[in-house]
Amino acid sequence: DTAVSQTPKYLVTQMGNDKSIKCEQNLGHDTMYWYKQDSKKFLKIMFSYNNKELIINETVPNRFSPKSPDKAHLNLHINSLELGDSAVYFCASSQGHLGNTIYFGEGSWLTVV
Amino acid sequence: DQQVKQNSPSLSVQEGRISILNCDYTNSMFDYFLWYKKYPAEGPTFLISISSIKDKNEDGRFTVFLNKSAKHLSLHIVPSQPGDSAVYFCAASGSGNTPLVFGKGTRLSVIA
């Protein structure tokens, strides 16, 4: 009965590959996010969608493309993976956009070799 | 530019004693503050929050104090339990289209 679920949890892939991380929330929230926690442990927002509409797009390379087919899903597709993309990616959701309590998924550990 | 700072990367406390985790912020527009707890290999989970109209919010063993003039908040856990051992993230946001900004986290170890 996980509220925010993301798959895969662990992903090891080679440089240059394209990969996707899927996220689904069953909380009925209208806003979803992708956060990245890098090697320095900073948790930084990448994207935010409210009712399937992109409302935040931080300075993230174009190789990262989020897709929200509906309010309950926000997938992250990454093209041409680079070593520096290795990080933990957290999906999250909230009711109402921004400034509200957000609920995180368990994280997806991406390692690019 | 870190808008939310947790200057102590780690803290060790004896079981039963009080744990105090500190957080400073620089953006005076922040008006909502949260603490998240994170266990290894799991996502952060919401713990407690406080809005800028209050200076204290209590939930069981957890109390958050906000000092707006000092731009400082703290999380008190009393009594501390071994299961509280985790990384604690402070987060803040302002009204309008501003996302939550997180601190770097403080690793709390509660020693039995």
Side-chain angles (χ1 to χ4, degrees), chain B residues 25 67-72:
Chain B
Y25 61 95
N67 182 333
K68 289 185 289 293
S69 59
K71 293 194 180 69
H72 176 84

Side-chain angles (χ1 to χ4, degrees), chain B residues 67-111:
Chain B
N67 182 333
K68 289 185 289 293
S69 59
K71 293 194 180 69
H72 176 84
L73 65 154
S74 61
L75 174 68
H76 292 210
I77 307 172
V78 56
S80 301
Q81 298 173 355
D84 296 329
S85 297
V87 176
Y88 290 79
F89 289 96
C90 172
S93 74
S95 52
N97 283 346
T98 57
L100 279 183
V101 178
F102 284 82
K104 207 170 170 179
T106 296
R107 180 177 301 278
L108 173 66
S109 300
V110 180
I111 304 158

Side-chain angles (χ1 to χ4, degrees), chain A residues 30-33 35 45 48-50 55-56 93-103, chain B residues 29-36 46 48-52 91-102:
Chain A
D30 59 5
T31 304
M32 296 186 72
Y33 311 81
Y35 276 80
I45 192 166
S48 171
Y49 271 73
N50 175 256
I55 54 173
I56 285 182
S93 72
S94 68
Q95 182 54 37
H97 65 87
L98 308 169
N100 288 331
T101 302
I102 63 175
Y103 296 86
Chain B
M29 299 302 291
F30 286 150
D31 59 7
Y32 185 57
F33 305 89
L34 309 89
W35 284 95
Y36 282 81
F46 170 71
I48 192 169
S49 65
I50 188 167
S51 99
S52 59
S93 74
S95 52
N97 283 346
T98 57
L100 279 183
V101 178
F102 284 82

